[in-house]
Each structure stands twice: as C-alpha cells, then as structure tokens.
Amino acid sequence: MPTHPLLAALTSRARTHAHTRTPTCPCGTATLADRPDATVVRHAGTVAKAHAPDTDPAALVPRLTTAARLSDVLLPPLTPTPAVLGDRLVTFWPYGAPVDPQDPDAAPWEAAGSLLARLHRTPAPAPLPPMRGPAKAARAVARLRAAGARPEAAPVLSAWTRLPAWARGEAPMPDATTVCHGDLHLGQLVRHPAPTARGASSTSTTWASESLPGTWPAPPPGTPAGCSRPRSGPAS
C-alpha cells in the first residue's frame, strides 16, 4: 500500500497507464523500489519509475530514444519522453522478470555477455550524454573514506588507486564513442516478456536501460555491466 505522497501518486500513474494499454488489466500493484534516487512501482505489466529529483531531461530523453531503437538489446520504454510528477520525471516500461538474487547459479551470464557484446558493437542511434560511472564511483569512495578507517575498506581503496585517472573521474575518458552500460549488475537484467508457465520459452534476456557513451574498465569477476557511452571530458 502507498505510504507517502510520491508513492501514492506514482502508483496511480502506473495504474492509469496500465489500463490504457490493457483495458482488461488483471490488476495487481507492487512497489519494486522506494529510495531517494528512485521510486519504482508495478501495476500488472506496466512499470513506472520516478527518477531522482535532479535528473536532467536533456540527458534522460536521448537514453530513452536509444533504448527504444535498440530494443533487441535494451528494454524499450513504453513512452518516448518522460512525464512530470511534481519535481520528478517519470518513465514507463514493460514489466520484465528479474534475475533471482537467491539463485546466482541460475544467472544468465552467457546471455548477459552476448547482450553487452552486441551493445558495444552498435553505433549510438542518437547523441548520448557522457557516462556518469567515474563520478558516481568517486562519490562512493569519498563516502567510504569519510566513514573512517575500517579493515574491510582497505582492499577497495587500494584497488581504487590503481585505476586509471579517467576511471576515477580525474581526467577525460580516452574514448567517447563506444556505447556501454553505465550500471551493470544482475538487478538490471530482466527476461521480457516475463516467463509464464506456458510462455517461458518465448522470453529473451535484455538489459533494463541505462545507456550512455564512454569507456569503462573491465568489471570485477562475477559482476555484470550496464549501458552508457564514455565521457569525453547511464537514465538512471
């Protein structure tokens, strides 16, 4: 049940959008995420995402365009432009079944690798904003350092110092043309259409969209990647 105004309003938007797509909607609502940077709700086969309050529409719209045009790799949005809900931009998506975090052995690693390879070989169909990965990682490391000395932080900080300067957000990226996924992890991987008892064989694996251009170092073993272009100097 909605517990605050944004969640209630987003739930209502998701329901309205779902009923527009499917008048005979098998109603059912669930909150998939509710964080300061994103609130996501599902109504039947429609998912509505309220992006962070500081999301720039000029950066988000090209990512939606890219996802719509690369629908064989990225989950395409249901609408080409975001809606406005108070101080939030809202996007609508078809529901895809997520990877089960309790069953990592069943994770579709091979399919994820194939998707990334196809994405990296595909020219960007529209100009894209720079990937925010280095800046976001730098902020996370700054928070880690601010938390004080902890033994478990030492390997992370040591690895951080060995990354190239551009990967730490301290220099321009060497490549600003390759499309990559700016937030690669299993939580971004879905099967669409969602498997059913009778239709599981017709589903395919795809990335929830986070496309931007940029260069990105190889992810740590066991970590999948996301979509973006390198920065020359992600929607999340």
Side-chain angles (χ1 to χ4, degrees):
M1 293 294 292
T3 58
H4 57 77
L6 173 62
L7 188 55
L10 189 64
T11 299
S12 176
R13 288 285 187 97
R15 180 174 59 250
T16 299
H17 203 283
H19 290 184
T20 299
R21 295 178 62 212
T22 310
T24 56
C25 173
C27 291
T29 299
T31 300
L32 305 182
D34 189 15
R35 309 185 306 268
D37 65 327
T39 297
V40 185
V41 300
R42 173 192 177 191
H43 186 93
T46 297
V47 173
K49 175 179 179 179
H51 297 256
D54 61 350
T55 298
D56 181 2
L60 179 59
V61 170
R63 290 162 55 193
L64 296 174
T65 300
T66 297
R69 294 181 182 176
L70 301 184
S71 59
D72 61 330
V73 181
L74 300 173
L75 189 69
L78 295 174
T79 54
T81 56
V84 177
L85 181 61
D87 64 347
R88 302 295 190 99
L89 295 177
V90 175
T91 53
F92 298 94
W93 307 85
Y95 175 72
V99 173
D100 184 356
Q102 304 304 318
D103 191 10
D105 290 339
W109 296 112
E110 184 176 351
S114 297
L115 283 171
L116 283 175
R118 295 213 310 268
L119 183 67
H120 295 166
R121 291 196 301 264
T122 303
L128 287 169
M131 183 173 69
R132 298 166 298 163
K136 293 169 73 173
R139 290 197 295 269
V141 169
R143 291 194 299 270
L144 182 61
R145 286 175 170 149
R150 292 186 295 178
E152 61 270 26
V156 176
L157 296 177
S158 176
W160 177 254
T161 63
R162 293 197 295 271
L163 290 175
W166 67 261
R168 301 193 303 268
E170 298 171 0
M173 291 188 188
D175 172 19
T177 59
T178 301
V179 179
C180 56
H181 196 301
D183 190 17
L184 175 60
H185 57 79
L186 283 181
Q188 295 281 20
L189 199 63
V190 298
R191 291 189 182 278
H192 179 260
T196 65
R198 293 189 301 172
S201 62
S202 67
T203 66
S204 60
T205 302
T206 188
W207 289 110
S209 307
E210 179 74 10
S211 306
L212 304 168
T215 304
W216 195 240
T223 307
C227 298
S228 313
R229 113 189 146 170
R231 180 170 61 175
S232 57
S236 321

